[in-house]
């Protein structure tokens, strides 16, 4: 019963129904149209589903966590809209990015609006721990901004170590998953140990998720991925793959990669050459192993949690993430 395969799609449907029930104003259209467009996109809803699963795992009622789940997804969508401006990407969820469909001014403001909407819904949560949850949420946003700042600074940095990279993705990506699970656990009435284990589970899942995102960027065709193929290398991002190849590649491979990292406007052929370097240096296979390794750590946290909580849904989520290609 705890591993009902339809649980995750059902929770995703709950989140989407919640969004459909929000009556956003029509005017001004230049604010609400891009917000509606973003929310109607075909997102995986991973973070809000995580909030609901965590709440349920510790014995809470799923509906109690719905406003907070929506808040996390609204916040996530803000980060995507602004991230696409910074990363100069044209495609997201198989459609033009907001700053491409409209312009950057519209995308900035839509992002601002999404943050405010996120708080509006978070504060609807009916829980005695609301102040604690709001602090967690706020601190999470600050860390996420720090992570995004590091991600940008690394584009120009002379040397970025694997430890630097892991600290950066822990902030830009894993933190949001960690607070999703933590908030869900708190709303569900979980005790301190349960919330800590849920957080550890989601933090490791988040690290796996970003390493996998780096891999998908250059291994999955744009039609399937729904995002610009090879965007990271075009933007000179220090991804897991770049760092691994610079640490383990032969001198000529390192030189070719450094050249690519210094070239503006890489062509598709040049991007494919970089992918070849990632293959030949073992960066691709190392990243694949790293994803599995962080998923295994995530699973260990769940095993510890299993003594006091119903972890079937959270286990299934690990499999869903492992199998994703978008
Ligand atoms: C994309 O997140 C941003 C990253 C942290 C890599 P998702 O892959 O969860 O995006 P959607 O919401 O499903 O589109
Ligand atoms: C995601 O990093 C981090 C945030 C959106 C906060 P990416 O820049 O790799 O995400 P995608 O690949 O554009 O979704
Ligand atoms: Mg991006
Ligand atoms: Mg980015
Ligand atoms: Mg990416």
């Amino acid at each position: 019963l705890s591993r009902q395969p339809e649980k995750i799609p059902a929770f995703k449907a709950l989140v989407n129904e919640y969004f459909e029930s929000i009556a956003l104003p029509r005017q001004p259209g230049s604010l609400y149209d891009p917000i509606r467009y973003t929310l109607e996109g075909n997102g995986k809803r991973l973070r809000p589903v995580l909030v609901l699963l965590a709440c349920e795992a510790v014995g809470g009622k799923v509906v109690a966590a719905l406003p907070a789940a929506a808040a996390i997804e609204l916040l996530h969508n803000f980060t995507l809209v602004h991230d696409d401006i910074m990363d100069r990407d044209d495609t997201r969820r198989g459609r033009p990015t907001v700053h491409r469909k409209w312009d950057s001014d519209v995308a900035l403001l839509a992002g601002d609006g999404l943050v405010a909407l996120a708080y509006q819904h978070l504060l609807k949560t009916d829980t005695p721990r609301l102040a604690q949850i709001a602090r967690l949420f706020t601190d999470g946003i600050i860390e996420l901004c720090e992570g995004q700042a590091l991600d940008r600074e690394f584009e120009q940095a002379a040397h970025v170590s694997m430890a630097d990279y892991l600290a950066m993705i822990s902030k830009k990506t894993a933190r949001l998953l960690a607070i999703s699970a933590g908030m869900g656990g708190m709303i569900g009435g979980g005790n301190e140990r349960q919330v800590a284990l849920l957080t550890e589970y989601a933090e490791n899942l988040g690290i796996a998720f970003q390493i996998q995102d780096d891999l998908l960027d250059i291994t999955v065709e744009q039609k399937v991925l729904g995002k610009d193929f090879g965007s990271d290398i075009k933007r000179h991002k220090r991804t897991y793959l770049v760092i691994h190849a610079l640490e383990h590649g032969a001198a000529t491979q390192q030189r070719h990669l450094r050249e690519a990292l210094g070239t503006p406007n890489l062509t598709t052929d040049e991007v494919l050459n970089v992918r070849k370097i990632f293959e030949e240096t073992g960066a691709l296979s190392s990243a694949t192993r790293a994803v599995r390794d962080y998923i295994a750590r995530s699973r260990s946290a769940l095993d510890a949690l299993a003594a006091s909580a119903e972890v079937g849904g959270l286990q299934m989520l690990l499999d869903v993430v492992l199998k994703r290609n978008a």
Side-chain angles (χ1 to χ4, degrees), residues 72 75 119 122 129-143 175-176 178-186 195 199:
I72 284 278
L75 183 69
Y119 272 100
L122 183 74
R129 299 201 210 176
L130 189 57
Q132 198 186 352
I133 287 163
R135 269 197 301 277
L136 194 68
F137 193 79
T138 308
D139 293 347
I141 301 178
I142 294 170
E143 276 210 69
R175 201 65 221 138
L176 197 54
I179 70 168
S180 300
M183 283 171 39
M186 286 178 189
V195 170
T199 303

Side-chain angles (χ1 to χ4, degrees), residues 241-256:
L241 303 168
V242 169
I243 292 168
H244 189 277
L246 287 177
E247 280 180 0
H248 300 276
T252 46
Q253 292 168 321
Q254 289 189 33
R255 200 179 63 244
H256 284 141

